[in-house]
Amino acid sequence: TGLLAGKRGLVLGVANNRSIAWGIAKSAHQHGAQLAFTYQGEALKKRVEPLARELDAAVVGHCDVTDPASIDAAFEATGRHFPEGIDFVIHCIAFSDKDELTGRYIETSEANFSKSLLISCYSFTAVAQRAEKLMRNGGSLLTLTYYGAEKWMPHYNVMGVAKAALEASVRYLAADLGPQKIRVNAISAGPIKTLAASGIGDFRYILKWNEYNAPLRRTVTIDEVGETAAYLISDMSRGMTGEILHVDAGYHVVG
Ligand code: 0WD
C-alpha cells in the first residue's frame, strides 16, 4: 500500500541530510517507493551510504555528470538492481563556480558558463536519454529549478540562465517522451539552506527576504519539496507533464 507502492526509482544529487534530494528520497520512501542512489566521488560516498541504509535504498555507484561513462555505468547498475525497470528519476544536481555567484552576471567566464550549463542543464537531458531505456511502462522524470530562471535575482547570475535552459528542456523532453508515457516535470523550490545554496552570495538575506515577502511569510523545507515530488512521481499527477510547480510559499506571485 501507499502512493508509490511498487514504484522504483533513482535519486541523483544527495550530498548530505540537508540536500533537497534527501527530502524527496525520504518522502518517496515513506510512500512506499524502492530507491537507488548515486554519489559524486568518494567523499560523498561516505555520506550517502548511511543515508541510503536509513531508507533501505541501494547505492548503485559513482556518477559525475561531466563524465558520460560514469552516467552510463550508474544506469547500467540501476538496471541490474531493478531488472523490472524503473518508474522515476529524481535529478537534483547543479553547479557553478562560487566566485561567479556574486557580483554581476556580465562577468561570467566562458569556461564557467559551459560548465554550469553542462552540469545544471544538459545533465538532465543526459539522464533522460539513459532513463528512457529503463522505463518500459512509462515513468516520471523530475528536476529542481529556481525562480531565478524567470526573473533576475541578486547573485544567481549564470545559474539563472542555466535554470531557464533547464526549464525549457523540461518542455522539450516532455514532448519527446510523452508518447512513451514518460512525464517530465520540475519543482521550482524556494530558497533552502543547503550545501549548494551556501555558495550563493548573501544567501541569508535571500532567506530573510522570502520570509518577509512570501504569501505564507516563511521559507519552505526539504520535506515540503519532498511531498510535492512524491505527488509528481505518483499516478495522482498522471495528467501532468512539462509542468514547473512552485513550492516556494507563494513567493513567485509577489516577487
Ligand atoms: O535554495 C536551494 N537550495 C534551491 C536549490 C532552490 C531551488 C532549486 N535548488 C536546486 C539546485 O539548483 C539543485 O539543482 O535543487 C537542486 C539540489 O540542490 P541542493 O539540495 O540545494 O544542494 P546540495 O545538497 O548541495 O546538492 C547538489 C548536489 C551536489 O552537491 P555539492 O554541494 O557537493 O556540489 O549536486 C551534485 C552534488 O552531489 N552535483 C553533481 N552530481 C554529479 N555530477 C555534480 C556533478 N558534476 N555537481 C554537483
Side-chain angles (χ1 to χ4, degrees), residues 13-16 18-21 40 44 63-66 91-95 119 144-146 156 159 163 188-197 203:
V14 176
N16 57 38
R18 308 179 94 166
S19 295
I20 295 174
Q40 186 208 355
L44 289 184
C63 178
D64 181 331
V65 295
T66 63
H91 170 277
C92 300
I93 291 173
F95 176 85
I119 297 175
L144 265 293
T145 183
Y146 181 56
Y156 205 56
M159 276 306 303
K163 292 300 193 191
S188 184
I192 300 173
K193 199 168 180 301
T194 62
L195 204 57
F203 192 72

